[in-house]
Amino acid sequence: MAVQWFPGHMYATQKAIAERLKSIDVVIELLDARLPGSSANPMLARLIGPKPTLKILNKQDLADPAQTQAWLVHYQSQPHTRAIGLDASVAGPARALIGACHELAPRRGGLAKPMRVLIGGIPNVGKSTLINTLVGKRATRVADEAGVTRAEQRILLADDFYLYDTPGVLWPKIIVPESGYLLAASGAVGRNAYDEESVALELLLRLRQPYAALLQARYQLPQTLEQIAAMPEDALLQAIGQRRGCLLPGGRLNTQKAAEVLLSDFRSAALGPITLETPQQFAQWLRAAQQAEAERAAERAAARLPKPQVDRASHT
């Protein structure tokens, strides 16, 4: 199963972002600290080009601190880029992004040259919560589901600081299969675009070894850490379902319910602080996906070539 989700309003958002970027000084891209690579929008990266960019690893309180630090180092090494981690609901650290923007565009500021910043990111990454925290009031609607914000908003954070909030947007084709599953697990993809059981199994594939202790503690699993790390994903999901009483009439296991329990616990951080990918892992996934895309493109091109004509006269 490939997870894909690109509702119609996202086409309009893509065009609006491209137009707005012409007058923007700094771009803030909000990332999910639990899956920074998978939540970085390659379409937005192409539109931004060399423009100064601030990468914010949001929801860092839900992520593995050591992995968050590794991702910050990774992004800090990129040109024209700064990176900070924060929890969008905490006012003090959140306001640090204003200073970071001034560092990226030191010649902007003051009423004559106000700072113009665009903030973007995938759906349900926490943009609305961050903006409401910065403003100190409810400036945008907040919901725990993808695709709530549908139109651009201009927000005045200071007399010389304009923030343009854009709707959460994915990209037309998610070429990295692992990213599709992780985006679905995080809640960035509409619920009608994926199968909960398939996503839960992929999530357990990422959790069972590095976070076996968290799984054991949350679900009171009787298996040892070594056994949990070695369990097939479907067997581990069944074990979780049994401990949570996810049963159908007759005592049969309700794997759909077990999947929903796991996904809910991950999204709410009930499992504990978790990061699902490292910079090295994501780079490997991306290389493999790009190679697969190139091979598919070559096959399509070959299929469009005219068939060689057979000279029947030479065979008579």
Side-chain angles (χ1 to χ4, degrees):
M1 183 197 73
V3 176
Q4 302 291 341
W5 191 59
F6 197 72
H9 74 273
M10 290 188 180
Y11 285 103
T13 299
Q14 178 181 346
K15 294 179 181 179
I17 290 174
E19 186 63 28
R20 175 60 62 192
L21 279 170
K22 297 176 183 178
S23 60
I24 289 298
D25 303 306
V26 176
V27 175
I28 295 175
E29 183 176 16
L30 222 60
L31 306 175
D32 189 325
R34 300 167 298 176
L35 48 147
S38 291
S39 60
N41 191 331
M43 182 184 71
L44 184 59
R46 290 193 297 270
L47 293 174
I48 293 171
K51 199 174 286 286
T53 303
L54 174 62
K55 302 273 193 181
I56 296 180
L57 272 64
N58 196 30
K59 305 182 181 181
Q60 69 168 354
D61 54 315
L62 311 184
D64 186 326
Q67 294 302 331
T68 296
Q69 184 58 37
W71 276 102
L72 289 174
V73 170
H74 169 74
Y75 283 124
Q76 292 279 26
S77 67
Q78 297 179 356
H80 314 293
T81 303
R82 281 208 60 200
I84 61 176
L86 56 80
D87 169 0
S89 66
V90 180
R95 295 199 66 83
L97 70 85
I98 295 179
C101 288
H102 281 295
E103 290 180 14
L104 284 165
R107 297 182 180 181
R108 300 297 304 188
L111 297 179
K113 296 187 297 182
M115 179 75 75
R116 300 158 303 182
V117 176
L118 181 143
I119 183 168
I122 64 172
N124 205 29
V125 75
K127 275 196 304 92
S128 296
T129 300
L130 173 60
I131 291 169
N132 291 343
T133 300
L134 289 169
V135 175
K137 60 182 180 180
R138 184 169 178 171
T140 63
R141 182 183 170 196
V142 178
D144 187 21
E145 61 179 300
V148 170
T149 304
R150 293 295 183 93
E152 179 188 87
Q153 303 177 83
R154 190 181 80 161
I155 299 164
L156 187 65
L157 292 186
D159 289 340
D160 63 346
F161 197 106
Y162 293 99
L163 183 67
Y164 293 88
D165 175 31
T166 60
V169 62
L170 289 170
W171 40 105
K173 183 180 181 182
I174 301 171
I175 68 168
V176 180
E178 294 87 350
S179 292
Y181 285 108
L182 300 192
L183 288 166
S186 73
V189 172
R191 296 170 185 168
N192 62 342
Y194 61 89
D195 173 73
E196 283 90 350
E197 290 185 45
S198 298
V199 172
L201 291 173
E202 186 72 17
L203 179 58
L204 286 173
L205 178 63
R206 309 292 160 205
L207 296 178
R208 64 181 181 185
Q209 292 186 358
Y211 300 111
L214 296 183
L215 291 171
Q216 184 189 58
R218 175 62 180 171
Y219 302 113
Q220 296 297 296
L221 298 174
Q223 293 86 356
T224 66
L225 297 182
E226 292 76 13
Q227 288 172 332
I228 292 172
M231 287 177 72
E233 300 85 57
D234 57 348
L236 186 51
L237 184 61
Q238 289 179 10
I240 290 170
Q242 290 169 349
R243 299 299 295 177
R244 277 291 181 263
C246 302
L247 301 176
L248 293 167
R252 291 181 295 116
L253 184 67
N254 187 338
T255 53
Q256 172 68 24
K257 183 63 177 178
E260 292 172 359
V261 166
L262 175 68
L263 292 175
S264 176
D265 284 350
F266 168 68
R267 291 167 183 168
S268 66
L271 284 171
I274 287 170
T275 300
L276 298 176
E277 58 190 16
T278 68
Q280 295 76 21
Q281 284 175 326
F282 180 76
Q284 292 173 357
W285 298 345
L286 182 59
R287 283 194 297 269
Q290 290 172 335
Q291 181 178 347
E293 281 289 293
E295 291 172 355
R296 283 192 287 268
E299 291 174 359
R300 290 193 296 268
R304 289 194 295 267
L305 291 175
K307 302 292 184 183
Q309 299 295 318
V310 176
D311 186 356
R312 298 184 181 277
S314 65
H315 295 280
T316 59

